[in-house]
């Protein structure tokens, strides 16, 4: 089937997905019957373009990767709202930067696209953390889908695992490492490198948020625990309900002390139940060798699902990065349109 795609945002993740689409064009057609065409791209830095005959996506990625605008590849005069409302797209890829304060501009883009009866796939954590239930209801009432697999653990299928294969279990607790940047920093600090140097590297590798304060102060992990709580535990937690501590106060001495005790620091995210109340928090903790999370290093993430009748299920995999996050959008696309 022909699938017309509109990109809102064309940063690291958007281009990661675009690159996968280009590289897997034939495979997607043969295996899943998906014949894609990109009809619009709206990015405030790189350009806002529209082309109902299909934008040259390979060229668009090459241009932006080399710091050039994409305006030569389509008709200009479009903006993100117009793409969401008026373009021919069957699905909007919403990949603008996460904003955990008010979810914008992603929240408006998603509302507009769903209201225009377009499917939405997104890795944008803000809108899902702040307004999951509203957006899900909006998608349902318009007969379209909202895919957001990449908002937690990037392309590692944590949410899909929890929602489908683990469907019907009752989650008692979910605990894990959900931020790649901070785990990468802690791993490298343990190896003797400086915080500043490693943070810069994580930014260069496309792991960190546009504003990396979101990673190191725990806001990104907080968005992910809100998503876990509200989607998997059916809670209605808000930002103020989550206790949040980042890693910025950890010193080289703290890290050495943990090492001397055979432990290491991890930024842990946790959602659990206390009676009927769902609780969530993000904070650095020292973990020992018997904890499965002790062994999760670098940009890798992991989640341990504690369930009622299946015991503990653990998922481990890439937690950030251009292709790793782009993959989640591919999974969402195939779920909606694949045969
Ligand atoms: N900045 C995030 C991280 C990206 O480091 O985990 C993936 O959500």
């Amino acid at each position: 089937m022909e699938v017309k795609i509109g990109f809102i945002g064309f940063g690291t993740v958007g281009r990661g997905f675009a690159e996968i689409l280009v590289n897997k064009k034939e495979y997607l057609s043969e295996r899943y019957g998906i014949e894609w065409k990109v009809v619009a791209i709206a990015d405030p830095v790189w350009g806002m373009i529209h082309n109902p005959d299909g934008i040259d996506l390979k060229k668009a990625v090459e241009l932006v990767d080399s710091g050039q605008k994409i305006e030569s590849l389509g008709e200009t005069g479009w903006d993100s709202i117009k793409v969401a409302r008026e373009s021919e797209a069957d699905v909007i890829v919403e990949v603008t930067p996460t904003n955990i304060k008010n979810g914008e501009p992603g929240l408006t883009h998603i509302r507009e696209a769903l209201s225009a009866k377009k499917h939405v796939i997104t890795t944008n954590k803000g809108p899902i953390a702040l307004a999951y239930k509203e957006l899900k209801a909006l998608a349902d009432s318009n007969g379209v889908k909202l895919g957001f697999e990449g908002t937690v653990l990037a392309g590692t299928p944590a949410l899909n695992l929890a929602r489908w294969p683990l469907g019907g279990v009752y989650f008692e607790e979910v605990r894990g490492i959900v931020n790649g940047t901070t785990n990468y920093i802690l791993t490298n600090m343990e190896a003797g490198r400086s915080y500043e140097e490693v943070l810069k590297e994580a930014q260069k590798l496309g792991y960190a948020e546009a504003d990396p304060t979101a990673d190191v102060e725990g806001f990104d992990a907080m968005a992910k625990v809100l998503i876990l709580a509200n989607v998997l535990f059916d809670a209605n937690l808000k930002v103020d309900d989550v206790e949040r501590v980042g890693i910025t106060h950890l010193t080289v001495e703290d890290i050495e002390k943990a090492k001397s005790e055979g432990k290491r620091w991890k930024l842990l995210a946790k959602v659990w139940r206390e009676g009927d109340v769902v609780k969530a928090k993000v904070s650095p903790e020292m973990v020992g060798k018997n904890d499965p999370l002790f062994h999760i290093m670098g940009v890798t993430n992991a989640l341990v699902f504690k369930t009622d009748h299946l015991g503990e299920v653990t998922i481990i995999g890439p937690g950030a990065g251009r292709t790793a996050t782009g993959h989640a959008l591919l999974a969402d696309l195939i779920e909606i349109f694949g045969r």
Side-chain angles (χ1 to χ4, degrees):
M1 98 188 266
E2 188 185 72
V3 179
K4 295 191 267 321
I5 301 175
F7 277 80
I8 301 186
F10 208 56
T12 305
V13 174
R15 297 200 307 280
F17 178 46
E19 205 162 51
I20 297 174
L21 286 176
V22 170
N23 293 341
K24 297 246 160 113
K25 193 163 180 59
E26 272 175 33
Y27 180 59
L28 289 172
S29 164
E30 283 162 19
R31 175 73 175 80
Y32 298 101
I34 293 175
E35 309 277 352
W36 61 263
K37 180 161 93 172
V38 172
V39 295
I41 301 177
D43 185 285
V45 178
W46 305 115
M48 311 260 189
I49 55 169
H50 171 248
N51 184 348
D53 298 326
I55 291 165
D56 182 342
L57 194 59
K58 186 165 187 271
K59 186 84 194 151
V61 173
E62 281 168 8
L63 283 173
V64 176
D65 279 352
S66 61
Q68 297 175 69
K69 289 185 177 271
I70 54 173
E71 279 152 357
S72 59
L73 302 179
E75 155 210 353
T76 54
W78 283 65
D79 60 37
S80 56
I81 301 292
K82 196 168 167 191
V83 169
R85 278 188 195 155
E86 295 174 30
S87 71
E88 305 76 359
D90 304 302
V91 56
I92 293 295
V93 180
E94 211 297 332
V95 281
T96 59
T98 287
N99 167 348
I100 189 61
K101 289 205 177 83
N102 60 14
E104 298 296 357
L107 187 52
T108 297
H109 295 150
I110 296 175
R111 282 189 185 127
E112 291 289 347
L114 295 174
S115 302
K117 302 200 184 308
K118 293 174 170 57
H119 302 286
V120 172
I121 58 179
T122 186
T123 55
N124 190 338
K125 291 150 271 188
I128 308 298
L130 301 178
Y132 165 66
K133 288 192 176 162
E134 176 214 315
L135 295 175
K136 173 77 172 74
L138 189 60
D140 289 348
S141 67
N142 282 286
V144 288
K145 301 269 192 227
L146 172 64
F148 53 93
E149 174 55 49
T151 55
V152 179
L153 261 63
T156 303
L159 291 173
N160 279 333
L161 170 78
R163 286 190 298 169
W164 307 120
L166 294 181
V169 305
Y170 188 73
F171 293 107
E172 288 165 355
E173 181 192 286
V174 179
R175 175 176 172 269
I177 295 167
V178 297
N179 181 269
T181 301
T182 47
N183 207 50
Y184 188 79
I185 292 173
L186 292 172
T187 299
N188 280 283
M189 280 178 77
E190 214 179 293
R193 297 181 61 199
S194 83
Y195 171 89
E196 291 76 15
E197 181 197 0
V198 183
L199 175 57
K200 270 200 196 116
E201 194 171 276
Q203 286 178 282
K204 217 166 120 204
L205 289 165
Y207 301 157
E209 294 301 294
D211 174 2
T213 315
D215 296 291
V216 295
E217 298 285 7
F219 290 102
D220 176 77
M222 178 189 74
K224 289 163 178 166
V225 294
L226 280 170
I227 295 170
L228 291 168
N230 295 345
V231 176
L232 303 185
F233 288 67
D234 198 26
N236 283 305
L237 298 193
K238 307 266 181 272
V239 167
D240 289 344
D241 298 321
V242 183
E243 186 190 323
R244 174 194 50 81
V245 183
I247 63 160
T248 46
H249 66 283
L250 287 181
T251 61
V252 172
E253 290 72 35
D254 292 325
I255 286 171
E256 286 305 319
K257 183 171 178 293
K259 226 195 229 178
S260 69
E261 293 173 18
K263 295 182 178 167
R264 52 176 60 122
W265 286 97
K266 295 289 177 195
L267 183 64
L268 294 190
K270 191 171 150 184
V271 184
W272 73 103
R273 295 182 196 272
E274 276 179 27
D276 289 341
V277 182
V278 176
K279 303 262 189 173
K281 76 169 191 174
V282 172
S283 62
E285 281 179 35
M286 275 203 280
V287 296
K289 288 198 172 77
N290 293 335
D291 190 320
L293 300 176
F294 177 88
H295 307 280
I296 308 302
M297 303 298 273
V299 73
T300 304
N301 282 186
L303 277 174
V304 182
F305 297 95
K306 208 178 267 181
T307 75
D308 56 347
H309 65 230
L310 193 66
E312 280 188 10
V313 177
T314 301
I315 185 162
I316 301 172
R322 174 168 166 146
T323 308
T325 312
H327 169 76
L329 295 161
L330 182 70
D332 286 338
L333 187 85
I334 292 173
E335 189 187 329
I336 299 172
F337 297 104
R339 64 173 170 221

